[in-house]
Amino acid sequence: MIKVLIADDEDLVRSGLRTILSSAGDIEVVAECDDGVHVAELARLHRPAVALLDIRMNTCDGIDALRALMALPQPPAVSMLTTFDVDEYVREALRIGANGFLLKDTEPIHLIKAVRDLAVGGAVLDPKVAARVVTTVADGARAAEPAQRLLAMLSDRELEVVSLVGHGLSNAEIGQQLHLSEATVKGYVSAVLGKIGAVNRVQAALVAYRGGLIA
């Protein structure tokens, strides 16, 4: 079972997410809270594989909760929950190590797939919010040239891999598309992250967007 922790200050959102995820036979919501204050404590107690954190909460927002999670010995994979008005929190969440961004009204089938991908080391970036995330973080054309220099260090195969990472594909899906084993893809992804200095797959995807590899 994939254990999930949900933190959101809206009861209706938490209820909806819990209902959707609980409908999948391999996912269990083991903890939820309405404030980031309790997130790290709940993670230590329940050891979730995935945490879904609302970016903006009252006493302790998702950024502080993410920071607390990343300080744990074995932190879960984290996706931030957001709306269309992505803001300054995005940059900080990526810097700390968020594995993705999902809209609160993500379609059920996509939400379930996102949690499964996060649980096996993938990254998620909702296509509807991707452009806004990139715009917020990339700082326009000034970010394009540095990203292009990073991409220039990659081999043709590594460019193929990071492009598919940017489209949200898991290692298994990339392997199927490129006719490679999942282990081989994992090796390519690790090499790409090292070469471009990315903490995780979302940061790698942003480099691909900034550098023009992904339209």
Side-chain angles (χ1 to χ4, degrees), residues 60-75:
C60 174
D61 64 26
I63 299 299
D64 287 335
L66 173 63
R67 192 175 287 112
L69 284 178
M70 292 299 104
L72 296 176
Q74 293 182 307

Side-chain angles (χ1 to χ4, degrees), residues 175-186:
Q176 290 173 359
Q177 187 151 331
L178 298 181
H179 306 292
L180 299 171
S181 71
E182 189 171 347
T184 299
V185 173
K186 184 177 181 181

Side-chain angles (χ1 to χ4, degrees), residues 17-18 23 39 42 52 59 69 80 93 116 119 148 159 183 190:
L17 293 173
R18 181 177 65 249
S23 71
V39 165
L42 289 172
L52 304 178
T59 306
L69 284 178
M80 310 305 292
R116 288 172 176 160
Q148 289 166 357
L159 287 171
S190 295

Side-chain angles (χ1 to χ4, degrees), residues 33-117:
C33 56
D34 60 3
D35 200 291
V37 171
H38 308 292
V39 165
E41 178 185 353
L42 289 172
R44 280 192 294 264
L45 182 63
H46 297 281
R47 297 181 178 275
V50 175
L52 304 178
L53 305 181
D54 184 12
I55 285 186
R56 283 173 278 189
M57 293 181 281
N58 295 320
T59 306
C60 174
D61 64 26
I63 299 299
D64 287 335
L66 173 63
R67 192 175 287 112
L69 284 178
M70 292 299 104
L72 296 176
Q74 293 182 307
V78 179
S79 178
M80 310 305 292
L81 297 171
T82 184
T83 57
F84 274 110
D85 48 347
V86 177
D87 51 26
E88 70 277 5
Y89 291 110
V90 170
R91 188 189 303 272
E92 184 66 6
L94 286 170
R95 188 191 68 78
I96 297 169
N99 299 86
F101 291 85
L102 290 171
L103 291 174
K104 292 187 179 184
D105 61 353
T106 296
E107 294 182 15
I109 188 171
H110 293 148
L111 176 64
I112 291 170
K113 181 182 183 300
V115 167
R116 288 172 176 160
D117 288 345

